[in-house]
Amino acid sequence: MGNLKAGIIGVGLMGHGIAKNVVSKGWALGFLDHPGNQDCSDLLGFGAAKFADKHDLAAASEVIILCVSGTPQVEDVLLGENGILKTVKKGTVIIDCSTAIPSSTEAIAKQAEAAGALFMDAPMTRTPLEAEAGRLNLLVGADPELFARIRPLLETFAENIFHAGGPGAGHKLKLLHNFCSLGMVTLIGEAAACAERGGISPEIFTEVLAKGGGYGAAFDRVSPFLLEGDNSKMKFFISNAHKDLSYYVQMAEDVSAGHQTASGVYGALQSLTDGGFGQGFLSETARYFGEVASKG
């Protein structure tokens, strides 16, 4: 299994950590050269190969990992006019680590199968810090036999791996997780902005949350920014959170589930992107909610 050649498309904040762990732990790795990549000099130092064309990368790989922004990008890489599925080798395993709309994922899985490839979705939770440390959580949607065969590769960059079901199930579970996680971060940011305008100090606000029902992983990621201006605990773009909540609402509509709370979070994030703060980090929302309110 360790001799399989892996290729990755998308060496951004999360993908770089994945790539580094794969290649540093003995797997042959190629990556697509792209302006959105992080600095890849360390990958090259570990022996990774750089490819200018995604078809050349796919031809040199037995496993292709996708770590791109979302459904439009996944569909473009695989299904577009220049899509990989048009030329993919039979038996190639495609692992989609992106966050995507499950209905699209299920359709892609069928098209990949028709092209002779094997498809699994393995979206991740946690942050770029855990990606670099090889301690991501993976939520996998795959045939059980394929999952068992590919698991050793996944273990190079994941601490916890959850098999959610067949193709598409990983993305469903990821959206459920992100709604809860990103929703809590957004809620705390909005509350912190209100606290500031109401004359409640960040110190007492965070102390009360830490000793009550407001404590949790979201609090741990936001409170350093509230107290010290440290945004390093959650380097997740507001624009990506906005996108993920739109995917969640779409999924809820697809399965006829309620989404009143999710729509509220989506609307809050929409106000920030409309205000020009989409490229800010989600840990910084208290600042941006305050600025949006001031402009209003």
Side-chain angles (χ1 to χ4, degrees):
M1 180 66 193
N3 292 326
L4 284 183
K5 295 180 179 179
I8 184 168
I9 297 175
V11 192
L13 285 172
M14 300 297 284
H16 181 272
I18 291 174
K20 187 189 76 172
N21 279 282
V22 170
V23 69
S24 67
K25 294 174 182 176
W27 295 69
L29 180 75
F31 65 91
L32 183 67
D33 191 21
H34 189 275
N37 288 352
Q38 296 290 294
D39 180 7
C40 294
S41 56
D42 57 343
L43 304 183
L44 296 170
F46 282 118
K50 180 169 63 176
F51 288 80
D53 182 82
K54 63 186 176 182
H55 292 281
D56 291 339
L57 174 64
S61 307
E62 295 165 282
V63 180
I64 301 169
I65 301 169
L66 303 182
C67 193
V68 295
S69 299
T71 291
Q73 291 75 24
V74 173
E75 291 179 346
D76 181 64
V77 169
L78 297 178
L79 309 178
E81 291 184 10
N82 194 33
I84 286 176
L85 289 186
K86 295 183 184 299
T87 60
V88 73
K89 298 179 300 185
K90 282 204 168 186
T92 299
V93 178
I94 298 171
I95 306 173
D96 182 9
C97 291
S98 309
T99 299
I101 299 171
S103 56
S104 171
T105 302
E106 292 167 350
I108 287 173
K110 292 177 181 177
Q111 293 179 69
E113 182 180 2
L118 303 171
F119 181 91
M120 61 192 296
D121 46 310
M124 55 211 148
T125 72
R126 294 187 167 172
T127 73
L129 293 175
E130 287 85 14
E132 289 292 327
R135 298 182 54 248
L136 290 171
N137 293 332
L138 293 182
L139 317 177
V140 179
D143 174 82
E145 183 179 344
L146 177 62
F147 172 58
R149 183 158 69 91
I150 297 298
R151 183 167 186 141
L153 173 61
L154 303 180
E155 287 176 342
T156 65
F157 58 91
E159 180 178 30
N160 301 298
I161 302 174
F162 305 90
H163 187 206
H171 280 146
K172 290 176 183 175
L173 189 55
K174 172 64 184 292
L175 293 178
L176 289 163
H177 170 275
N178 276 22
F179 168 42
C180 296
S181 174
L182 304 179
M184 285 300 300
V185 172
T186 304
L187 183 151
I188 292 172
E190 189 174 84
C194 183
E196 182 180 12
R197 292 175 75 88
I200 302 297
S201 74
E203 290 76 15
I204 193 65
F205 174 70
T206 54
E207 184 178 4
V208 167
L209 291 188
K211 295 179 178 178
Y215 181 72
F219 173 85
D220 284 339
R221 292 170 179 173
V222 174
S223 57
F225 177 77
L226 301 180
L227 293 171
E228 303 164 4
D230 178 5
N231 64 14
S232 66
K233 301 301 181 184
M234 194 167 194
K235 290 186 174 180
F236 193 88
F237 291 124
I238 290 169
S239 59
N240 282 342
H242 178 247
K243 176 261 299 179
D244 287 1
L245 263 292
S246 75
Y247 287 1
Y248 179 88
V249 171
Q250 179 65 59
M251 178 180 74
E253 291 177 347
D254 287 342
V255 299
S256 300
H259 52 81
Q260 293 91 334
T261 303
S263 293
V265 176
Y266 174 75
L269 294 169
Q270 179 76 56
S271 74
L272 298 185
T273 58
D274 288 348
F277 304 120
Q279 293 308 297
F281 292 134
L282 200 64
S283 53
E284 303 170 333
T285 51
R287 172 192 296 164
Y288 301 131
F289 278 127
E291 292 189 26
V292 167
S294 296
K295 290 178 181 178

